[in-house]
Amino acid sequence: MEIRLLRWIRHRWFDDAALRLPHGIVERLAEGIRHCEQGHSAQVSLHIESSLPTSYMWRKQEMSALVEMRAKDLFAAKGIWDTEENNGLLIYLCLAERSVEFVFDRAVQRVIAAAEWESMLSRMAQHVQSSEIEVGMLKLLDEMSTLLAEHFPVTQGRTLTNEISDTPTLQ
């Protein structure tokens, strides 16, 4: 019980952390997502959350499992699994835990090795740990763009449809 109470206190302390992000970061990250999506047909979504919802705090699970569960719940709630080519992906940042998670749709999971994503995730986690969220995210989006363009190239004469908003959501 004590661990869950300490967890809850830490997350409530961070409740408005997303609101204290540097001025203009949302616009710069949205531009980074737009730039990332120009060379491929995959759909990228970014969700930055100050803390996990209270309902997650009282569960008897490791924090890393709770962050992963929250990312998967958001992936489903945002309908990222419902893109035309099943190639949507979610980048989830939990500021209270200084943690980042990726969740991918079926087509992405089929064609890109987990080791490639783990490498990117590790580099991004280092940026999150050192509070370099914007720098890390823009580097990550560049890396993702290159990787996704290899597997989901834009075919000649095809018009890309933006199925998921490029604007990061803050909560």
Side-chain angles (χ1 to χ4, degrees):
M1 178 71 162
E2 183 178 318
I3 291 173
R4 287 183 276 170
L5 179 60
L6 292 174
R7 216 187 254 181
W8 181 82
I9 291 169
R10 182 176 67 238
H11 281 257
R12 295 302 59 94
W13 178 265
F14 274 88
D15 260 353
D16 68 344
L19 303 176
R20 296 188 309 258
L21 289 170
H23 178 73
I25 190 173
V26 172
E27 293 80 14
R28 291 187 298 274
L29 293 175
E31 182 58 34
I33 292 170
R34 278 190 290 280
H35 178 73
C36 170
E37 290 182 342
Q38 288 177 355
H40 56 80
S41 64
Q43 300 290 307
V44 178
S45 179
L46 170 59
H47 188 91
I48 301 173
E49 199 161 54
S50 298
S51 60
L52 292 173
T54 301
S55 62
Y56 287 76
M57 296 292 99
W58 301 109
R59 297 179 186 182
K60 294 180 182 180
Q61 293 174 307
E62 292 294 318
M63 188 52 70
S64 60
L66 293 173
V67 171
E68 181 181 349
M69 181 186 308
R70 177 64 175 159
K72 288 178 179 178
D73 289 348
L74 286 166
F75 180 85
K78 291 173 157 244
I80 298 169
W81 53 269
D82 197 25
T83 61
E84 185 178 334
E85 295 182 27
N86 298 314
N87 60 359
L89 60 102
L90 171 71
I91 305 165
Y92 172 70
L93 293 173
C94 179
L95 299 177
E97 290 300 316
R98 293 184 180 259
S99 183
V100 60
E101 286 289 330
F102 300 156
V103 183
F104 313 102
D105 205 348
R106 299 173 295 277
V108 177
Q109 288 179 353
R110 267 194 305 271
V111 299
I112 301 175
E116 291 192 67
W117 291 119
E118 289 299 322
S119 176
M120 282 186 208
L121 185 61
S122 175
R123 286 190 294 281
M124 183 61 202
Q126 290 172 356
H127 286 288
V128 171
Q129 289 295 320
S130 61
S131 298
E132 299 173 332
I133 293 168
E134 184 175 354
V135 170
M137 186 57 61
L138 293 174
K139 286 181 180 180
L140 173 68
L141 290 168
D142 282 343
E143 285 184 66
M144 282 185 165
S145 180
T146 302
L147 183 60
L148 292 167
E150 290 175 29
H151 299 283
F152 302 101
V154 178
T155 55
Q156 186 135 8
R158 178 176 173 204
T159 303
L160 289 178
T161 302
N162 195 11
E163 298 177 70
I164 297 173
S165 173
D166 295 335
T167 303
T169 52
L170 302 179
Q171 199 169 352

PDB file of all heavy atoms in Angstrom, residues 91-108:
ATOM      1  N   ILE A  91       4.026   7.300 -30.087  1.00  0.00           N
ATOM      2  CA  ILE A  91       5.151   7.583 -29.193  1.00  0.00           C
ATOM      3  C   ILE A  91       4.505   8.159 -27.934  1.00  0.00           C
ATOM      4  O   ILE A  91       3.772   9.147 -28.002  1.00  0.00           O
ATOM      5  CB  ILE A  91       6.129   8.604 -29.796  1.00  0.00           C
ATOM      6  CG1 ILE A  91       6.620   8.147 -31.162  1.00  0.00           C
ATOM      7  CG2 ILE A  91       7.292   8.841 -28.835  1.00  0.00           C
ATOM      8  CD1 ILE A  91       7.295   9.247 -31.978  1.00  0.00           C
ATOM      9  N   TYR A  92       4.756   7.544 -26.801  1.00  0.00           N
ATOM     10  CA  TYR A  92       4.147   7.960 -25.543  1.00  0.00           C
ATOM     11  C   TYR A  92       5.234   8.362 -24.554  1.00  0.00           C
ATOM     12  O   TYR A  92       6.163   7.593 -24.308  1.00  0.00           O
ATOM     13  CB  TYR A  92       3.305   6.824 -24.963  1.00  0.00           C
ATOM     14  CG  TYR A  92       2.798   7.099 -23.564  1.00  0.00           C
ATOM     15  CD1 TYR A  92       1.817   8.064 -23.343  1.00  0.00           C
ATOM     16  CD2 TYR A  92       3.294   6.408 -22.472  1.00  0.00           C
ATOM     17  CE1 TYR A  92       1.349   8.325 -22.064  1.00  0.00           C
ATOM     18  CE2 TYR A  92       2.825   6.662 -21.185  1.00  0.00           C
ATOM     19  CZ  TYR A  92       1.860   7.622 -20.987  1.00  0.00           C
ATOM     20  OH  TYR A  92       1.398   7.885 -19.732  1.00  0.00           O
ATOM     21  N   LEU A  93       5.115   9.565 -23.997  1.00  0.00           N
ATOM     22  CA  LEU A  93       6.040  10.038 -22.974  1.00  0.00           C
ATOM     23  C   LEU A  93       5.284  10.242 -21.677  1.00  0.00           C
ATOM     24  O   LEU A  93       4.258  10.924 -21.651  1.00  0.00           O
ATOM     25  CB  LEU A  93       6.654  11.380 -23.371  1.00  0.00           C
ATOM     26  CG  LEU A  93       7.577  11.402 -24.564  1.00  0.00           C
ATOM     27  CD1 LEU A  93       7.943  12.842 -24.910  1.00  0.00           C
ATOM     28  CD2 LEU A  93       8.827  10.610 -24.298  1.00  0.00           C
ATOM     29  N   CYS A  94       5.785   9.663 -20.607  1.00  0.00           N
ATOM     30  CA  CYS A  94       5.234   9.885 -19.271  1.00  0.00           C
ATOM     31  C   CYS A  94       6.288  10.657 -18.491  1.00  0.00           C
ATOM     32  O   CYS A  94       7.334  10.107 -18.129  1.00  0.00           O
ATOM     33  CB  CYS A  94       4.909   8.555 -18.586  1.00  0.00           C
ATOM     34  SG  CYS A  94       4.254   8.776 -16.909  1.00  0.00           S
ATOM     35  N   LEU A  95       6.033  11.933 -18.272  1.00  0.00           N
ATOM     36  CA  LEU A  95       7.023  12.803 -17.649  1.00  0.00           C
ATOM     37  C   LEU A  95       7.318  12.440 -16.196  1.00  0.00           C
ATOM     38  O   LEU A  95       8.464  12.517 -15.764  1.00  0.00           O
ATOM     39  CB  LEU A  95       6.577  14.260 -17.761  1.00  0.00           C
ATOM     40  CG  LEU A  95       6.418  14.791 -19.187  1.00  0.00           C
ATOM     41  CD1 LEU A  95       5.898  16.223 -19.171  1.00  0.00           C
ATOM     42  CD2 LEU A  95       7.718  14.695 -19.956  1.00  0.00           C
ATOM     43  N   ALA A  96       6.319  12.036 -15.432  1.00  0.00           N
ATOM     44  CA  ALA A  96       6.534  11.677 -14.030  1.00  0.00           C
ATOM     45  C   ALA A  96       7.493  10.503 -13.894  1.00  0.00           C
ATOM     46  O   ALA A  96       8.274  10.430 -12.939  1.00  0.00           O
ATOM     47  CB  ALA A  96       5.209  11.347 -13.353  1.00  0.00           C
ATOM     48  N   GLU A  97       7.467   9.600 -14.842  1.00  0.00           N
ATOM     49  CA  GLU A  97       8.345   8.426 -14.812  1.00  0.00           C
ATOM     50  C   GLU A  97       9.601   8.612 -15.667  1.00  0.00           C
ATOM     51  O   GLU A  97      10.455   7.732 -15.691  1.00  0.00           O
ATOM     52  CB  GLU A  97       7.588   7.187 -15.295  1.00  0.00           C
ATOM     53  CG  GLU A  97       6.532   6.723 -14.342  1.00  0.00           C
ATOM     54  CD  GLU A  97       7.106   6.349 -12.979  1.00  0.00           C
ATOM     55  OE1 GLU A  97       8.156   5.673 -12.916  1.00  0.00           O
ATOM     56  OE2 GLU A  97       6.499   6.752 -11.974  1.00  0.00           O
ATOM     57  N   ARG A  98       9.648   9.732 -16.394  1.00  0.00           N
ATOM     58  CA  ARG A  98      10.753   9.953 -17.346  1.00  0.00           C
ATOM     59  C   ARG A  98      10.906   8.712 -18.221  1.00  0.00           C
ATOM     60  O   ARG A  98      11.972   8.126 -18.359  1.00  0.00           O
ATOM     61  CB  ARG A  98      12.061  10.267 -16.633  1.00  0.00           C
ATOM     62  CG  ARG A  98      12.028  11.591 -15.909  1.00  0.00           C
ATOM     63  CD  ARG A  98      13.368  11.905 -15.298  1.00  0.00           C
ATOM     64  NE  ARG A  98      13.346  13.173 -14.616  1.00  0.00           N
ATOM     65  CZ  ARG A  98      13.845  14.286 -15.135  1.00  0.00           C
ATOM     66  NH1 ARG A  98      14.406  14.274 -16.304  1.00  0.00           N
ATOM     67  NH2 ARG A  98      13.799  15.399 -14.453  1.00  0.00           N
ATOM     68  N   SER A  99       9.777   8.341 -18.795  1.00  0.00           N
ATOM     69  CA  SER A  99       9.696   7.098 -19.544  1.00  0.00           C
ATOM     70  C   SER A  99       9.081   7.333 -20.915  1.00  0.00           C
ATOM     71  O   SER A  99       8.243   8.214 -21.085  1.00  0.00           O
ATOM     72  CB  SER A  99       8.832   6.114 -18.749  1.00  0.00           C
ATOM     73  OG  SER A  99       8.762   4.878 -19.382  1.00  0.00           O
ATOM     74  N   VAL A 100       9.504   6.525 -21.877  1.00  0.00           N
ATOM     75  CA  VAL A 100       8.982   6.609 -23.236  1.00  0.00           C
ATOM     76  C   VAL A 100       8.626   5.203 -23.704  1.00  0.00           C
ATOM     77  O   VAL A 100       9.307   4.234 -23.374  1.00  0.00           O
ATOM     78  CB  VAL A 100       9.997   7.287 -24.195  1.00  0.00           C
ATOM     79  CG1 VAL A 100      11.298   6.530 -24.265  1.00  0.00           C
ATOM     80  CG2 VAL A 100       9.425   7.494 -25.574  1.00  0.00           C
ATOM     81  N   GLU A 101       7.532   5.097 -24.438  1.00  0.00           N
ATOM     82  CA  GLU A 101       7.084   3.820 -25.003  1.00  0.00           C
ATOM     83  C   GLU A 101       6.675   4.030 -26.454  1.00  0.00           C
ATOM     84  O   GLU A 101       6.193   5.106 -26.811  1.00  0.00           O
ATOM     85  CB  GLU A 101       5.865   3.272 -24.245  1.00  0.00           C
ATOM     86  CG  GLU A 101       6.150   2.713 -22.887  1.00  0.00           C
ATOM     87  CD  GLU A 101       6.901   1.402 -22.909  1.00  0.00           C
ATOM     88  OE1 GLU A 101       6.754   0.620 -23.875  1.00  0.00           O
ATOM     89  OE2 GLU A 101       7.631   1.151 -21.933  1.00  0.00           O
ATOM     90  N   PHE A 102       6.849   3.003 -27.260  1.00  0.00           N
ATOM     91  CA  PHE A 102       6.348   2.973 -28.628  1.00  0.00           C
ATOM     92  C   PHE A 102       5.297   1.877 -28.710  1.00  0.00           C
ATOM     93  O   PHE A 102       5.480   0.804 -28.149  1.00  0.00           O
ATOM     94  CB  PHE A 102       7.443   2.598 -29.643  1.00  0.00           C
ATOM     95  CG  PHE A 102       8.626   3.521 -29.702  1.00  0.00           C
ATOM     96  CD1 PHE A 102       9.839   3.045 -30.177  1.00  0.00           C
ATOM     97  CD2 PHE A 102       8.555   4.841 -29.318  1.00  0.00           C
ATOM     98  CE1 PHE A 102      10.936   3.870 -30.270  1.00  0.00           C
ATOM     99  CE2 PHE A 102       9.650   5.675 -29.404  1.00  0.00           C
ATOM    100  CZ  PHE A 102      10.858   5.190 -29.884  1.00  0.00           C
ATOM    101  N   VAL A 103       4.226   2.135 -29.447  1.00  0.00           N
ATOM    102  CA  VAL A 103       3.226   1.107 -29.736  1.00  0.00           C
ATOM    103  C   VAL A 103       2.976   1.161 -31.241  1.00  0.00           C
ATOM    104  O   VAL A 103       2.767   2.233 -31.797  1.00  0.00           O
ATOM    105  CB  VAL A 103       1.903   1.335 -28.970  1.00  0.00           C
ATOM    106  CG1 VAL A 103       0.931   0.195 -29.247  1.00  0.00           C
ATOM    107  CG2 VAL A 103       2.153   1.481 -27.474  1.00  0.00           C
ATOM    108  N   PHE A 104       3.023  -0.004 -31.904  1.00  0.00           N
ATOM    109  CA  PHE A 104       2.931  -0.080 -33.362  1.00  0.00           C
ATOM    110  C   PHE A 104       1.747  -0.913 -33.807  1.00  0.00           C
ATOM    111  O   PHE A 104       1.375  -1.872 -33.155  1.00  0.00           O
ATOM    112  CB  PHE A 104       4.179  -0.759 -33.945  1.00  0.00           C
ATOM    113  CG  PHE A 104       5.439  -0.227 -33.377  1.00  0.00           C
ATOM    114  CD1 PHE A 104       6.123  -0.922 -32.400  1.00  0.00           C
ATOM    115  CD2 PHE A 104       5.945   0.973 -33.819  1.00  0.00           C
ATOM    116  CE1 PHE A 104       7.288  -0.419 -31.868  1.00  0.00           C
ATOM    117  CE2 PHE A 104       7.110   1.483 -33.297  1.00  0.00           C
ATOM    118  CZ  PHE A 104       7.790   0.781 -32.326  1.00  0.00           C
ATOM    119  N   ASP A 105       1.240  -0.569 -34.966  1.00  0.00           N
ATOM    120  CA  ASP A 105       0.188  -1.359 -35.584  1.00  0.00           C
ATOM    121  C   ASP A 105       0.804  -2.588 -36.268  1.00  0.00           C
ATOM    122  O   ASP A 105       2.023  -2.710 -36.410  1.00  0.00           O
ATOM    123  CB  ASP A 105      -0.590  -0.507 -36.589  1.00  0.00           C
ATOM    124  CG  ASP A 105      -2.013  -1.022 -36.801  1.00  0.00           C
ATOM    125  OD1 ASP A 105      -2.327  -2.151 -36.359  1.00  0.00           O
ATOM    126  OD2 ASP A 105      -2.800  -0.298 -37.419  1.00  0.00           O
ATOM    127  N   ARG A 106      -0.041  -3.466 -36.752  1.00  0.00           N
ATOM    128  CA  ARG A 106       0.372  -4.765 -37.310  1.00  0.00           C
ATOM    129  C   ARG A 106       1.394  -4.671 -38.430  1.00  0.00           C
ATOM    130  O   ARG A 106       2.382  -5.405 -38.439  1.00  0.00           O
ATOM    131  CB  ARG A 106      -0.868  -5.513 -37.818  1.00  0.00           C
ATOM    132  CG  ARG A 106      -1.887  -5.799 -36.749  1.00  0.00           C
ATOM    133  CD  ARG A 106      -3.171  -6.389 -37.312  1.00  0.00           C
ATOM    134  NE  ARG A 106      -3.922  -5.509 -38.183  1.00  0.00           N
ATOM    135  CZ  ARG A 106      -4.771  -4.579 -37.775  1.00  0.00           C
ATOM    136  NH1 ARG A 106      -4.962  -4.377 -36.491  1.00  0.00           N
ATOM    137  NH2 ARG A 106      -5.436  -3.838 -38.630  1.00  0.00           N
ATOM    138  N   ALA A 107       1.165  -3.815 -39.391  1.00  0.00           N
ATOM    139  CA  ALA A 107       2.062  -3.753 -40.547  1.00  0.00           C
ATOM    140  C   ALA A 107       3.459  -3.335 -40.125  1.00  0.00           C
ATOM    141  O   ALA A 107       4.453  -3.860 -40.637  1.00  0.00           O
ATOM    142  CB  ALA A 107       1.518  -2.798 -41.610  1.00  0.00           C
ATOM    143  N   VAL A 108       3.560  -2.424 -39.188  1.00  0.00           N
ATOM    144  CA  VAL A 108       4.867  -1.971 -38.711  1.00  0.00           C
ATOM    145  C   VAL A 108       5.562  -3.109 -37.973  1.00  0.00           C
ATOM    146  O   VAL A 108       6.751  -3.370 -38.178  1.00  0.00           O
ATOM    147  CB  VAL A 108       4.730  -0.724 -37.814  1.00  0.00           C
ATOM    148  CG1 VAL A 108       6.075  -0.290 -37.265  1.00  0.00           C
ATOM    149  CG2 VAL A 108       4.069   0.425 -38.580  1.00  0.00           C
TER     150      VAL A 108
END
